[in-house]
Amino acid sequence: MTDPQERPGHGPADPEGYLIERTLDGYRWTCRADGRTAGPFRSRDEAVVSAEADERA
């Protein structure tokens, strides 16, 4: 399967264990393991950075 980053019209893959979603207010992430969420973030990149930081915490 081709990496989503390489497919036109597709953004980067979600961080391991997190779901990044677009909402009316921007973007948010949800931790798949326990359902925690954070957001809204102005961009998908901000949500990804936050999810990756949460993963390391």
Side-chain angles (χ1 to χ4, degrees):
M1 179 172 197
T2 305
D3 181 64
Q5 190 81 308
E6 298 173 3
R7 293 178 9 212
H10 291 78
D14 295 346
E16 186 69 32
Y18 291 81
L19 172 65
I20 308 294
E21 298 176 293
R22 187 170 190 181
T23 66
L24 295 175
D25 297 333
Y27 290 85
R28 72 173 182 183
W29 59 255
T30 302
C31 179
R32 294 176 191 269
D34 60 16
R36 287 179 297 113
T37 64
F41 299 96
R42 287 184 286 164
S43 71
R44 186 179 195 292
D45 289 339
E46 288 179 16
V48 169
V49 167
S50 176
E52 289 172 344
D54 183 73
E55 182 180 28
R56 290 188 300 268

